[in-house]
Amino acid sequence: QVLLVESGGGLVQAGGSLRLSCAAPGRTFSGYAMGWFRQAPGKEREFVAAITWISGTDYAGSVKGRFTISRDNADNTVYLQMNSLNAEDTARYYCASQASYGSNWSSWGQGTQVTVSS
């Protein structure tokens, strides 16, 4: 099971931008897709975005048009560019992998905290 490491979170002003990284330092990415999820205090974990190995993407409606998921296979890294951040984006963000379409998300990272202030 690949180790995933999230980074790039922090405190950002409302309206600002942040880029999260999800690295798999041990090996090249494999499987169907990589995805980003987030969880706010007292809330269930929710899907944010995903990208397949043919570069297909999917976004939650709440972030579509503001967030962009991308990958760099050479660096074994998946990114989440977050623009126009607002308080509703405050959460701990996690990345995960999906071995095949419809399979369970797995190989969860430790998460990185994003806090949006006004």
Side-chain angles (χ1 to χ4, degrees):
Q1 192 170 16
V2 66
L3 173 65
L4 300 179
V5 180
E6 301 95 335
S7 62
L11 179 65
V12 64
Q13 294 181 352
S17 298
L18 206 60
R19 188 178 73 163
L20 306 183
S21 298
C22 174
R27 64 176 178 87
T28 303
F29 287 134
S30 63
Y32 177 71
M34 299 294 295
W36 285 97
F37 298 77
R38 66 188 182 186
Q39 186 169 27
K43 305 293 184 181
E44 293 294 318
R45 183 183 65 197
E46 66 174 347
F47 170 79
V48 176
I51 185 167
T52 72
W53 299 121
I54 58 170
S55 297
T57 57
D58 190 24
Y59 297 93
S62 59
V63 307
K64 191 172 184 178
R66 299 188 298 120
F67 290 12
T68 302
I69 187 170
S70 62
R71 71 172 193 268
D72 185 337
N73 289 339
D75 290 340
N76 295 333
T77 305
V78 174
Y79 302 97
L80 185 68
Q81 178 66 46
M82 305 184 294
N83 299 325
S84 301
L85 287 163
N86 57 62
E88 298 301 317
D89 298 315
T90 295
R92 191 164 186 86
Y93 285 70
Y94 301 87
C95 64
S97 63
Q98 188 178 52
S100 62
Y101 181 73
S103 67
N104 291 337
W105 292 93
S106 61
S107 301
W108 296 95
Q110 82 285 358
T112 185
Q113 180 67 36
V114 172
T115 302
V116 184
S117 64
S118 60

